[in-house]
Amino acid sequence: MDSTQTHGINLSINSSDYHLQILPWVTLLDVLRERIGLTGTKKGCDHGQCGACTVLVDGKRILSCLTLAVMKDGAAITTIEGIANGEKLHPIQQAFIDHDAFQCGYCTPGQICSAVGMLQEAKARNREEIKELMSGNLCRCGASRGIVNAVMQVMEGGSNE
Amino acid sequence: MTKLPSIGKPISRLEGRLKVTGIAKYAGEYQAPGLLYGYVVNSTITKGTIKIIDTADAKALEGVIEIFTHENRPSTAWFDFQYADMDAPPGTVFKPLKDNEIKYNGQPIALVVADTFEMARYAATQIKLAYVEEKFETDLESNIDKARKPKKGMASMLKPPPPKPAGDFEKAYESSFVQSSGEFKHGTEHHNPMEMFATTVIYEGKNRLKIYDKTQGTVNSQMYVANVFGLKMKNVQVIAPFVGGAFGSGLRPQYQLFMAVMASLALKRNVRVTLDRAQMFTFGHRPTTLQYAKFGADEKGKLNAVYHKAIGETSQFEDYTEIVVNWAGMLYPAENTLLEHRLVPLDVYSPLDMRAPGGSTGMHAVEVTMDDLAYKLNIDPVEFRLINYAEKDKSSGKEYSSKELRKCYLQAAAKFGWEKRSPEPRSMKRGNKLVGYGMATGIWDANRILARAQAIMTSDGKVEIKSAVTDIGTGTITIMTQIASDELGLPLEDITFSFADSSMPFAPIQGGSFTTATVGSAVQVACRALNKELFKKAKRDKDSGLADAAFEDAVFSDGFIFLKNSAEVKYSVQEIFAANGGKEIKTTNSSMPNPLTYGKKIKLVHSAVFVEVEVDEELGIIEVTRAVTAVAAGKIINPKTAESQILGGMIWGISKALHEETILDNQFGKYMNTNLAEYHIPVHADIHDLDVVFVEEEDDFVNDLGVKGVGEIGVVGMPPAITNAIFHATGKRINNLPIHFDKLL
């Protein structure tokens, strides 16, 4: 792949199709934020250390800052803007509001995408495992208790669609 | 519809939906036509001068628009005072790109502007630099002989120097029945909000800018830009709709604001500058501080001698101070006190207020020393605090405006199960782990300063409240709406709180736990003025039944004016709009404490913190398994958001005690762990059972709302409580923070 030439890629983002002509050095995160204007996905470190940029690619949670957009040609991507069902919030989103699982809100999209992905993985069976499997998502405001409570509630309610 | 009063109800954040759907926008997320991207280049030496800065190759790259250095930057204001901001310490404010002098490692020395972020970042690596290096000093401990008294300035108003010595400390200490002395140290810490600093400048024509800035003070940034770049205040609009955490880092305009504005004005283009995570370590930090404490008490446990000295670092250009050593004097009534604060200027950037600045530093030494005395006296640590409970502030001789600390101790102890503690260190175990219980007191100021607010009622009976204040995640939007709701007698749904725009009525920087008291009071006053205006207009209607009524007897509810003592009167504000042709009714008011009476009492927030730790001695693992904090902070407007503030503070306390530290390599004068993998903060797996109790506290002196503020108090007592619990678990007194596993070996 020529690194100085742009490449055409197709991305399905929140069920809308995008065709982009981009250089290989552009990350998926910067494509979302700067090229497409979906700024809900956050940049907290750009090094895969904080989890703020978590999105779902083909249902799996990934760090969009460590992903070059050209690597995901043809992929189906869900960002925080695509988590709700129209006006109806995803149960995780509602649980975050109810449990005050955020303060500044900057890590929130990553936490929510990560929680949705984690519930789909179906590996967590209890509170301790949720904490462990969500530990890649940092929160500097210290909303951990609310975040874990929110995910617990949805997991126990079984509404992890 | 919410039933009034809304104050005191756990209302969910009104902006919650925006934040969970990704719609909430932060400073670096505004798009604009032809937006250019700036990337900052930082010095790799600590002290010296730039000999060569060759930008030719970088500038030749396709897509690079301009590279600004000290050699070609546009001229800015001449005088130091023009760079001063609301939180500037005494000294000379740092000016980006001023000249070729390097004052600290990581100093911004160039800005690359390109049409994409990627190209700006790449071009930054293609700049050729040669420096002349000079000898530097960055180590506090080896420069302790340079310690001196801090200079005083504007900042000293909210940060008074220590009180004068009382009695004769030396003599009293020597003759004390028991003594405890200790040396304490904590390393440098950086705020590291999750959102990195960013500014998007929209160029709106000649010398007119709209700026989206990450800041804790829209007016503060506006003032800075107007002064530094010689623009009219009215032509500079600073907006910070959502702020992705700040914790003090946004109390001063940071260099990305300077850079973005400079480039925008020079290029007449829209420009965004976003810092990267490593650059988040190149401005402002909690200063490395050494402390010395010596306390003496008599055989009954009465403290009679208190000495507390702190030596903090500062930069070579500003004297950053914080209140580190005043707290013991305000908390414990010892007759003989000696409290001192000193600074050592080093070749680092100026420190900057970081959540519970000074308090979380100083109270660590105070409360660990208290714990040590309690063990030496064989008195329960809670009992020891109660023996030394002050009913009056000994250091100023003033009454407290309110103080329900005793209730904090008792309620938190009961909830925690303190009575299950076996006093002997190393006496409690769970499996192969040692268990320790520790407690400590927390204390913080309850300040209030000047703010303005506006209330506008439109003909549909709905009200918009305006203030330039930000909401950095504190819940301010929700709380201000609740205050307005109760004052106006309207449901929350009928009120919109517009905020974080410098063109709105003045609000000071959002910090020091004074926002709810300060801006909340202004909102209350503006709403009351709106009610008065409605009442005045209603009285003009002869059929209103209000003609002879006094405002004090009026009750405002759901768009009607009632009278307390007359069941017949029910006047719709719609009549007013019918009479005035539907014109909006607007009131703008200032609010500040009465300068004649406000200083007569001392105003403080208190807390009691109880912590359980589990220590695995073989692996050196320390876990805070349980913690309870009881807080006396006056009226709690919103228990939900306030609890989150305290919980967040507690996690900051865990982090300060056990995790975070910026490590400086004195050989290079450089911070070595400038990323979130090596700068450790607690993750979800580190956080266990945390509990918050709000103790009833009435205070009609602090302000009409009776509120104090909860932003910092959650942090203050946690580090000493954890340290004391580790002593109880292991028998080891570890006074240097953070306590990593190696310190237990």
Side-chain angles (χ1 to χ4, degrees), chain B residues 86 158 216 219 444-454 465-470 476 479-480 483 497 505-527 589-594 598 603 633 635 637 701-710 712:
Chain B
M86 292 181 194
L158 282 178
Q216 288 171 258
V219 181
W444 189 255
D445 285 323
N447 279 319
R448 176 186 163 205
I449 51 180
L450 169 82
R452 287 169 68 74
Q454 186 173 60
I465 309 290
K466 287 184 173 180
S467 162
V469 72
T470 50
T476 307
I479 292 161
M480 294 304 147
I483 292 169
F497 184 62
F506 173 83
I509 42 179
Q510 182 175 35
S513 293
F514 56 60
T515 298
T516 303
T518 298
V519 181
S521 294
V523 168
Q524 192 185 33
V525 168
C527 290
N589 296 78
S590 294
S591 163
M592 65 178 281
N594 181 342
Y598 190 63
K603 300 158 290 286
K635 168 84 86 186
I637 305 275
F701 183 86
V702 276
N703 48 62
D704 284 357
L705 290 162
V707 301
K708 286 178 168 177
V710 291
E712 343 270 326

Side-chain angles (χ1 to χ4, degrees), chain B residues 516-544:
Chain B
T516 303
T518 298
V519 181
S521 294
V523 168
Q524 192 185 33
V525 168
C527 290
R528 198 168 292 167
L530 180 65
N531 280 347
K532 276 187 186 161
E533 196 60 30
L534 293 171
F535 188 70
K536 202 173 82 187
K537 290 188 192 304
K539 273 171 83 93
R540 285 189 204 138
D541 183 345
K542 290 196 182 66
D543 304 327
S544 68

